[in-house]
Amino acid sequence: MSGKSAVLATDLSTASETMVESETGLNCLSRIGVDRIHLVTVVPSNVHSGMPGIDFEKRRKRGLRRYRSTIEAAGFDVETHVVRGTPHRRINGIAGAVGADLILVGSRGKSPLENRVIGSTARNLARTTVVPLLVDRIERGVDDPETVRRHLFKRTLFATDFSENAERAFETFEYLRHATEEVTLVHVRSPKDDTGDEGDVEARLGELGDRLDEWGLEARTDVRRGDLAAEILAAEREHEPSTLLLGSRGRSRLRRLLLGSVSEEVVVNATGNVFLVPPPRSA
């Protein structure tokens, strides 16, 4: 595998610390070929180091030094980036500038940087990212949170509608397979979509299963009917994968903002990790 780079976005919260210090998670990144990590923190425009009673700069430097040391000890090259602005826009900008292969962000976690919530950043990234986005789910409502799923990709649930971008998402198994053992292939039949009869659907899932078998991955299939997002989330609850993998259809910006999308709903409401693969930048 050629070396890959990842943008790891942190808001210096307890949840971010959990994500960074997850030895299993870092090992999973290494196994899929990541050898360089760009550690990014975004300072909101309305936060200033001179604000009364708040020493953001020292806390930020101390946190980033600790995170960098942890990641370097795990064998990665690390670069740190401290930027000011809107989190998801700046994270996307850095990912594009450094040619990152994926973005990794925690699912929740209140930041010391004046009420920034990493969960909202994950949601905005789901709408706008142009590189694969990995949302690492962290426990909520506890003082000392853990990652919800210990492994990132060991048990992967792949949701497909047999579209071109679903195929693009499936192709990520070429490198995910090095950290994956079993895959559940899920297709949801929507009354609005013509994806053939159930026998045809099973055959198409079987073809995907054969491709996974060539990589030594155990595969099973699950065909459902109903609302796309609701059924994908129901399949996740039933199968309890480490990560849910799906492609984003890449709707227009206005339509995404007004109506949301299946991928955004899954990112927001999934129990475990989500790996979202967007369409090519030109799509």
Side-chain angles (χ1 to χ4, degrees):
M1 292 180 292
S2 59
K4 298 181 181 297
S5 66
V7 164
L8 193 160
T10 172
D11 61 354
L12 305 180
S13 66
T14 303
S16 288
E17 183 174 348
T18 299
M19 177 179 66
V20 170
E21 295 185 350
S22 170
E23 181 178 352
T24 303
L26 291 176
N27 286 341
C28 287
L29 291 179
S30 179
R31 291 181 68 182
I32 67 172
V34 173
D35 58 17
R36 175 174 292 275
I37 290 180
H38 294 269
L39 188 60
V40 176
T41 188
V42 182
V43 181
S45 299
N46 63 342
V47 173
H48 304 283
S49 58
M51 294 174 70
I54 301 175
D55 195 346
F56 292 127
E57 189 171 353
K58 284 186 178 179
R59 296 175 71 182
R60 183 171 64 243
K61 288 181 178 178
R62 185 166 59 246
L64 289 176
R65 281 198 303 268
R66 185 172 69 252
Y67 293 173
R68 178 170 188 148
S69 177
T70 298
I71 297 169
E72 287 179 336
F76 297 91
D77 293 330
V78 183
E79 292 185 21
T80 59
H81 307 259
V82 178
V83 293
R84 183 176 293 273
T86 304
H88 73 279
R89 293 194 180 98
R90 299 310 307 270
I91 292 166
N92 275 327
I94 290 174
V98 303
D101 296 284
L102 63 94
I103 296 171
L104 174 61
V105 64
S107 61
R108 293 284 173 169
K110 200 167 185 180
S111 167
L113 296 182
E114 196 63 21
N115 295 326
R116 300 308 300 182
V117 179
I118 202 72
S120 63
T121 298
R123 183 169 189 157
N124 287 328
L125 284 169
R127 293 172 174 161
T128 60
T129 186
V130 295
V131 301
L133 170 69
L134 176 58
V135 180
D136 192 2
R137 198 72 65 190
I138 311 297
E139 288 181 321
R140 300 182 187 181
V142 294
D143 293 333
D144 189 17
E146 300 287 343
T147 53
V148 171
R149 299 285 187 259
R150 183 179 179 188
H151 297 275
L152 293 179
F153 304 108
K154 186 175 183 179
R155 301 182 316 281
T156 299
L157 187 153
F158 172 59
T160 178
D161 59 359
F162 305 119
S163 65
E164 180 179 349
N165 203 58
E167 171 63 23
R168 176 179 168 86
F170 183 84
E171 289 172 356
T172 62
F173 280 115
E174 290 191 8
Y175 58 87
L176 294 183
R177 62 191 171 98
H178 298 288
T180 303
E181 294 182 4
E182 62 182 59
V183 181
T184 302
L185 301 168
V186 174
H187 174 73
V188 180
R189 302 187 68 196
S190 168
K192 297 179 181 180
D193 295 326
D194 180 14
T195 54
D197 61 34
E198 189 164 340
D200 180 54
V201 169
E202 290 282 7
R204 297 175 78 175
L205 291 176
E207 291 173 1
L208 295 178
D210 290 341
R211 291 166 64 183
L212 293 170
D213 184 64
E214 293 175 359
W215 287 324
L217 300 179
E218 179 183 342
R220 57 185 173 183
T221 62
D222 184 357
V223 179
R224 295 171 172 262
R225 181 181 292 276
D227 177 78
L228 296 178
E231 289 301 319
I232 290 170
L233 292 168
E236 188 211 22
R237 291 192 297 271
E238 178 178 332
H239 298 290
E240 295 187 334
S242 303
T243 292
L244 198 162
L245 167 65
L246 73 163
S248 166
R249 287 176 179 255
R251 294 177 177 176
S252 71
R253 182 174 182 273
L254 179 60
R255 183 171 177 81
R256 282 198 305 265
L257 290 175
L258 292 177
L259 302 179
S261 68
V262 171
S263 55
E264 181 187 342
E265 187 171 346
V266 169
V267 166
V268 171
N269 295 304
T271 300
N273 307 320
V274 179
F275 193 43
L276 180 66
V277 180
R281 184 184 294 267
S282 58

